[in-house]
Amino acid sequence: MRRLSILLTLALVCFSTLSLAKQPPSPPVYGVRMERTWIPMPDGVRLAVTLYVPEGAKASDKFPALLEYLPYRKDDGTAARDYPMHTYFCKRGYVTARVDIRGTGASEGRSPEREYSQQEQRDGEQVIAWLASQPWSNGSVGMFGISWGGFNSIQMAMRRPPALKAILAVDATEKLFHDDVHYMDGMMHVDEFELAMDLTPAIPGAPEFGPSDEALLARFDVAPWSLNYMKQQRDGKFWREPIRSFSNIQIPCFLIGGWLDGYRDSVPAMLEQVKAPVRALMGPWNHTFPEEAEPGPAVEWREDAVRWFDQWLKGRDTGVLDDPKLTVYMRHWHPPDATLPEVPGEWRAESAWPPRAQQTKTLFLQPNHVLGAIPAGNQMHQLKYVPTIGVEAGFWWGELLTDQRPVDAFSLVYDSAPLDAEVAILGHPHALLRASASAPLANWFARLSDVAPDGTVTLVTGAGLAGAQRESAEHPSALEPGKTYPLDIELHVTSWVFPRGHRIRLAVSNALWPMIWPTPHAMTTTLALGGAGGSRLTLPVVPLKSGAAPVLAPPQPSEHLAGYRSAGYTWPGTWTTLRDQVAQKTTVTWRGVMSEENPWGKETDHEQLIYELSDAHPELNSVIGEIEQNYELKDRTLTWRGHLAVTSDAKNFFYKYTREVLKDGRLLRSRTWEETIPRDYQ
């Protein structure tokens, strides 16, 4: 816990921002009362809200509000998850509000046509104003959430509604075309999110799920989002419309990210660019809240969240302005292990971003496939494009992964000499390549790894760049075959300590399938090693230690809502890779299962995605997806199904999606969307 009395003297000479100097948050002094009600919108649509209200307060007491604003069905989909988090804040003197976005869950209205629509954001402003005007309100509202809830917290901060005074965003980003799950690093990606979000908004709210067949079908005919996204294959207005400039943010922002999460780049960007107070916590986690993180170490973030909101919504001086700008987990080497229970490392504090002591270390790609301290001569390395490689590199730029040697075998690989001392990095590595291709479309992927003395290879971070987007993701252009281009691949932000005796590896490939849709042409690519600005790797090196280490509390016990139980998805699910070596064809199958129990019944979800690709025909890529959501209610069983097929040839994508709803096994309605969509430099 907080050893403040022991460290008063040290605080004068070490980080004055240490967590040990924090003022304690509000103690849990209230009970909790849940209220379900409506928030009216100007057009007459009502949004459904569950309020968690402090029980035992005086009639004259006023409270700030904390808003979580999601499409994920508050009364069944996230009910088991919501309760422990909302009651934690409520007991410490907040009215918390969990609101279903218009057209989702229990809220009225037509389902949105996309994530983060202008309608969603306008409604969000109305919700914030409503919360600030309630008789129990002190006029101040905070916003928080993970993933979608973190995205729209950042977006609402950019819109500056008057009553919004602070936000807390977990695992969120502002770069929709670059970081989100539809286009990763600007290249097309298809995963299970498309299946779920093409189906779930069509399902009416719990517990009625529609009292009649007509009501059951009210949201059914909204076009699937994945079709909308496939038509937006380059950056521009569509992707930027929900996002304003960081300069618009004038309220304090608390950010939480994970080194294994695909949205982590927003944390350093906001630390560097937002002028309002920003504090951040970066741990070794995937897409999850830190108190339930796997892999660990898990920590209690809600205590600091209360301190954050107490400072800005209650006017208490809780010492948050003296906290480190960034509290960060420095990861140490571990063997490649997708089931690792805890990542080795230690916490450190940084008072600025980039870290004040950060230095750039440059390693040049050499003809003998080593990384050296001096530029190479004018030599070339060629690589034949093998489109089916990459499954070992995961499904987004994070995750715990297996040994990288299988994908490295089909990459250009460059290793440093064994290190004579530990090397710590914190920030964005860069792969600065001089590259050409024999085809007009080519992607380049750079992966930074740690090679142990026994040869095992652990991925540290990576990134990709579409050659067509080398100058602009909004205005892509074809490559001139054989022409050498300078490429700056900024790898996703990371922390790592390479041990003495290990090697630093840069691996370069032109495919990372099935994460990224492959380019359609057979080809050979070339790296120019030497000459002016030759191909090289830069590392953001920092000292091994950075002052006294922060102390983070372990997770506190959470309360759970009676009658609700969620098993969640069996993430990362079950992966199967089948290689036909004779036909040079690979099939990757992903399956996931989720179950929830509520007072009115049980929900079971099954999802499957099958990816197929042949090395001889990279243009003929295929993704087939199936999802089924079953609701076993007291008087009936309702089933929603989605069937997705996306295939391609050299010039087009072929899209087909069928949505079905059944009642007691009887088909009530089926609708299919089918289109041919021209490839736009993807």
Side-chain angles (χ1 to χ4, degrees), residues 281-325:
L281 172 66
M282 286 289 289
W285 313 306
N286 203 323
H287 200 63
T288 185
F289 286 107
E291 89 280 7
E292 55 190 21
E294 294 181 3
V299 301
E300 183 51 74
W301 64 280
R302 294 169 297 184
E303 187 174 285
D304 284 335
V306 171
R307 290 180 57 248
W308 183 255
F309 286 126
D310 279 0
Q311 176 86 25
W312 308 113
L313 276 61
K314 293 183 179 179
R316 297 183 64 216
D317 183 2
T318 62
V320 295
L321 288 175
D322 296 325
D323 286 354
K325 196 171 184 71

Side-chain angles (χ1 to χ4, degrees), residues 18-66:
L18 287 176
S19 62
L20 306 177
K22 298 172 183 176
Q23 296 295 316
S26 303
V29 296
Y30 298 103
V32 179
R33 183 179 75 256
M34 294 175 64
E35 297 180 3
R36 290 183 174 88
T37 187
W38 301 97
I39 302 177
M41 297 294 105
D43 62 356
V45 168
R46 300 180 302 168
L47 303 189
V49 57
T50 298
L51 297 174
Y52 296 76
V53 181
E55 188 81 295
K58 300 176 184 176
S60 60
D61 287 346
K62 303 292 184 182
F63 300 101
L66 295 180

Side-chain angles (χ1 to χ4, degrees), residues 171-358:
D171 296 341
T173 185
E174 87 292 352
K175 292 183 178 179
L176 299 185
F177 185 70
H178 187 267
D179 290 350
D180 205 359
V181 296
H182 317 294
Y183 294 87
M184 290 185 175
D185 297 340
M187 294 165 281
M188 198 172 87
H189 169 93
V190 178
D191 74 9
E192 56 86 22
F193 182 83
E194 310 288 0
L195 286 176
M197 294 315 296
D198 283 343
L199 189 68
T200 301
I203 302 173
E208 292 85 3
F209 298 95
S212 66
D213 289 356
E214 180 180 357
L216 279 172
L217 305 175
R219 300 174 182 174
F220 191 86
D221 291 332
V222 175
W225 293 358
S226 55
L227 175 59
N228 194 10
Y229 297 144
M230 283 198 65
K231 296 177 180 179
Q232 307 293 334
Q233 298 172 40
R234 60 175 72 186
D235 203 0
K237 181 180 177 182
F238 178 87
W239 298 106
R240 297 176 187 172
E241 186 179 50
I243 302 294
R244 303 186 182 190
S245 169
F246 279 144
S247 64
N248 282 41
I249 297 180
Q250 297 182 353
I251 60 172
C253 304
F254 185 5
L255 311 172
I256 298 176
W259 295 128
L260 302 178
D261 180 70
Y263 300 149
R264 61 190 182 273
D265 285 359
S266 64
V267 174
M270 292 184 69
L271 285 170
E272 197 166 7
Q273 299 176 40
V274 174
K275 303 304 181 185
V278 179
R279 297 295 182 268
L281 172 66
M282 286 289 289
W285 313 306
N286 203 323
H287 200 63
T288 185
F289 286 107
E291 89 280 7
E292 55 190 21
E294 294 181 3
V299 301
E300 183 51 74
W301 64 280
R302 294 169 297 184
E303 187 174 285
D304 284 335
V306 171
R307 290 180 57 248
W308 183 255
F309 286 126
D310 279 0
Q311 176 86 25
W312 308 113
L313 276 61
K314 293 183 179 179
R316 297 183 64 216
D317 183 2
T318 62
V320 295
L321 288 175
D322 296 325
D323 286 354
K325 196 171 184 71
L326 171 65
T327 299
V328 59
Y329 194 78
M330 288 296 295
R331 297 186 296 159
H332 284 234
W333 173 83
H334 59 78
D337 181 358
T339 62
L340 188 73
E342 183 160 311
V343 175
E346 74 280 331
W347 294 100
R348 68 191 279 167
E350 295 291 345
S351 60
W353 189 268
R356 298 192 192 280
Q358 184 189 90

